[in-house]
């Protein structure tokens, strides 16, 4: 046990969650990626490739979690510049898939820079907030600094990957609230973004499919956004109409099967992803069909990536799906507990931001799979297939474990009577170099 603690440092709960998610990933990806294995003709090749990526992610996470968290302050100095250049190069020279340029080939390795932009930007925002804490709130000037940096990164990502840009912005928004950015500034930002969102939504849906707007530089994905929004809106309207018809019929004493009406009206040929995801979920029941017994994996596009949660529900049932979702929620709570133990601002903001990033992405993927949001391209962290995503999340977890080591040392050094003391709020602590704490 002592030897194991020497290898796996930091918060044991985070390690436990990590290994459980890895276990789910190996089992479900082996099942969900069967269509890829069939096409490649190599039954085990796809699984081995995914397992190798998980192993590589583990090694990177282990290395990162051994780095004292104070050294993460240098990430913005170099990482931010590098990732902005990489995102710009992706727009100009990146490989295109689904009308979006998202991948950059570096030394023969295909990378998705937007995935690595997530932890780098979170680290940058955490550093800004930690340097600008005052007695009552954050220095108002930090608001513009954060918006400029976030705006540059999000704009470079936005035209090719709207969901990733929106996810990053939401995480930064929550970090600014946690970092006590003045409420008046946050209210102005909220109102502005809501206004821009509503106007953009109305304009986008009102444009004809052959509009010249979709041919303008940087708007190649706009037609896809419109299609997904319109499709999602139609699905909800159809469901509402069907339910209303069923209620009226039952009030008149007629027997009607709601499920059969919805199934009959659903255009599964045009909306195959949503349709087969719904079938997978509807056929799961409480305990599911069992690992490896999915039927919809053979029909559901991106079953191994964007819609892996639908396959998890089909095979593990509602109980299994609830368990997976609970792991991400526990991760967020553990991050909050660790942040409250931190004496300095930077590690506290950092671990909260990284946890929000992972959990928000997981919830977004789950919401899409169960039909609560329009289709996006977000993976389920550590479970979905995707090398860049696995490495990026592994780096984030390694940084979280490093912060937990710092918080553990503080807790271990507390005097005996520390139990009688109130925990120090990380938001109220003035920024200092924690070099003497590592």
């Amino acid at each position: 046990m002592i030897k194991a603690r020497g290898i796996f440092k930091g918060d044991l709960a985070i390690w436990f969650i990590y290994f459980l998610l890895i276990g789910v990933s190996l089992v479900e990806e082996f099942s969900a990626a069967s269509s890829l294995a069939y096409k490649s003709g190599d039954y085990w090749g796809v699984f081995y490739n995914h397992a190798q990526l998980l192993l590589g992610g583990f090694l990177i996470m282990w290395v990162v979690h051994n780095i004292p968290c104070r050294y993460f302050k240098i990430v913005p100095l170099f990482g931010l510049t590098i990732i902005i250049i990489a995102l710009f190069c992706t727009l100009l020279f990146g490989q295109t898939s689904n009308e979006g340029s998202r991948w950059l080939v570096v030394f023969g390795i295909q990378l998705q820079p937007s995935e690595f932009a997530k932890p780098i930007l979170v680290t940058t925002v955490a550093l800004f907030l930690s340097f600008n804490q005052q007695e009552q709130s954050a220095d108002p000037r930090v608001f513009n600094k954060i918006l400029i940096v976030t705006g540059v990164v999000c704009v470079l990502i936005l035209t090719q990957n709207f969901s990733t840009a929106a996810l990053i912005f939401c995480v930064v928004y929550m970090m600014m609230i946690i970092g006590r950015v003045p409420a008046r500034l946050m209210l102005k930002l909220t109102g502005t973004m809501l206004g821009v969102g509503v106007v953009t939504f109305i304009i986008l849906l009102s444009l004809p499919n052959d509009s010249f707007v979709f041919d303008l530089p940087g708007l190649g994905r706009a037609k896809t956004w419109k299609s997904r929004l319109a499709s999602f809106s139609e699905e909800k309207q159809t469901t509402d109409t069907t339910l209303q018809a069923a209620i009226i019929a039952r009030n008149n004493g007629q027997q009607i099967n709601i499920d059969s009406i919805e199934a009959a009206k659903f255009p599964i040929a045009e909306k195959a992803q949503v349709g087969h995801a719904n079938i997978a979920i509807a056929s799961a029941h409480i305990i599911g069909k069992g690992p490896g017994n999915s039927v919809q994996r053979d029909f559901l596009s991106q079953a191994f990536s964007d819609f892996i949660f639908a396959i998890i529900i089909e095979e593990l049932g509602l109980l299994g799906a609830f368990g997976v979702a609970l792991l991400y929620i526990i991760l967020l709570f553990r991050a909050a507990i660790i942040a409250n133990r931190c004496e300095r601002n930077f590690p506290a903001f950092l671990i909260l931001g990284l946890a929000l990033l992972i959990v928000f992405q997981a919830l977004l993927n789950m919401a899409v799979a169960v039909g609560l949001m329009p289709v996006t391209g977000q993976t389920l962290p550590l479970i979905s297939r995707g090398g860049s995503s696995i490495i990026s999340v592994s780096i984030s977890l390694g940084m979280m474990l490093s912060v937990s080591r710092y918080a553990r040392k503080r807790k271990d050094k507390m005097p005996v009577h520390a139990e009688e003391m109130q925990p120090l709020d990380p938001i109220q602590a003035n920024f200092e170099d924690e070099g003497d704490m590592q």
Side-chain angles (χ1 to χ4, degrees), residues 255-402:
Q255 295 295 325
I256 187 169
N257 188 329
I258 300 177
D259 296 331
S260 64
I261 291 179
E262 288 196 59
K265 289 188 175 182
F266 192 88
I268 196 168
E270 293 81 9
K271 304 174 183 178
Q273 279 187 313
V274 175
H276 288 293
N278 289 341
I279 294 172
I281 294 170
S283 61
H285 304 299
I286 301 297
I287 60 174
K289 298 176 180 177
N293 294 320
S294 170
V295 175
Q296 298 307 312
R297 65 188 178 190
D298 297 327
F299 307 98
L300 180 56
S301 174
Q302 298 298 317
F304 48 83
S305 181
D306 301 351
F307 284 88
I308 185 66
F309 192 64
I311 304 301
I312 291 175
I313 297 176
E314 184 182 13
E315 294 191 348
L316 304 183
L318 297 179
L319 290 178
F322 176 77
V324 171
L326 186 61
L327 290 176
Y328 291 106
I329 300 301
I330 294 175
L331 179 66
L332 182 59
F333 276 98
R334 288 302 302 174
I337 292 172
I338 294 168
N340 196 49
R341 294 176 185 167
C342 295
E343 187 178 33
R344 313 302 178 203
N345 289 312
F346 175 68
F349 290 138
L350 179 62
I351 193 170
L352 285 174
L354 293 172
L356 286 170
L357 180 64
I358 294 172
V359 175
F360 277 17
Q361 181 173 331
L363 294 178
L364 179 58
N365 177 278
M366 294 174 187
V368 170
V370 300
L372 294 179
M373 292 188 66
V375 176
T376 65
Q378 292 302 312
T379 58
L380 190 58
L382 284 182
I383 295 181
S384 294
R385 180 179 175 82
S388 295
S389 176
I390 290 174
I391 300 303
S392 174
V393 174
S394 297
I395 292 172
S396 298
L397 286 173
M399 297 172 78
M400 291 175 64
L401 285 166
S402 175

Side-chain angles (χ1 to χ4, degrees), residues 30-148:
F30 180 71
S31 174
S34 60
S35 59
L36 289 180
Y38 176 78
K39 292 178 181 178
S40 66
D42 187 349
Y43 187 74
W44 289 97
V46 175
F47 174 77
Y48 285 152
N49 178 261
H50 182 66
Q52 288 171 0
L53 286 171
L54 290 176
L55 177 60
F58 168 75
L59 294 176
I60 291 174
M61 184 178 75
W62 185 84
V63 171
V64 172
H65 103 290
N66 278 290
I67 300 174
C69 64
R70 65 179 181 271
Y71 291 121
F72 297 145
K73 294 176 183 178
I74 67 176
V75 170
L77 298 178
F78 305 100
L80 191 62
T81 301
I82 293 173
I83 203 63
I84 288 176
I85 294 174
L87 289 171
F88 186 73
C89 291
T90 303
L91 284 177
L92 298 179
F93 317 112
Q95 292 187 353
T96 302
S97 177
N98 295 327
E99 300 178 354
S101 180
R102 302 179 183 179
W103 288 269
L104 193 64
V105 179
V106 181
F107 301 114
I109 301 175
Q110 190 180 57
L111 302 173
Q112 193 169 354
S114 60
E115 288 295 331
F116 299 99
K118 297 174 183 177
I120 290 175
L121 185 59
V122 166
T123 307
T124 303
V125 173
L127 187 61
F128 280 167
L129 289 171
S130 65
F131 267 121
N132 290 273
Q133 289 299 301
Q134 298 177 339
E135 185 175 353
Q136 298 297 326
S137 65
D139 188 334
R141 291 175 292 183
V142 74
F143 178 75
N144 291 330
K145 297 176 184 177
I146 292 175
L147 279 191
I148 291 173

Side-chain angles (χ1 to χ4, degrees), residues 143-174:
F143 178 75
N144 291 330
K145 297 176 184 177
I146 292 175
L147 279 191
I148 291 173
V149 173
T150 304
V152 171
V153 173
C154 287
V155 166
L156 290 173
I157 297 174
L158 178 65
T159 57
Q160 309 302 319
N161 195 338
F162 175 82
S163 61
T164 296
L167 172 65
I168 292 174
F169 182 83
C170 288
V171 171
V172 171
Y173 180 89
M174 289 301 299

Side-chain angles (χ1 to χ4, degrees), residues 203-223:
I203 293 176
L204 198 59
L205 290 183
S206 64
L207 290 173
N209 290 330
D210 58 350
S211 174
F212 72 93
V213 174
F214 299 127
D215 297 325
L216 295 175
L219 294 178
R221 292 277 298 169
K223 185 179 291 187

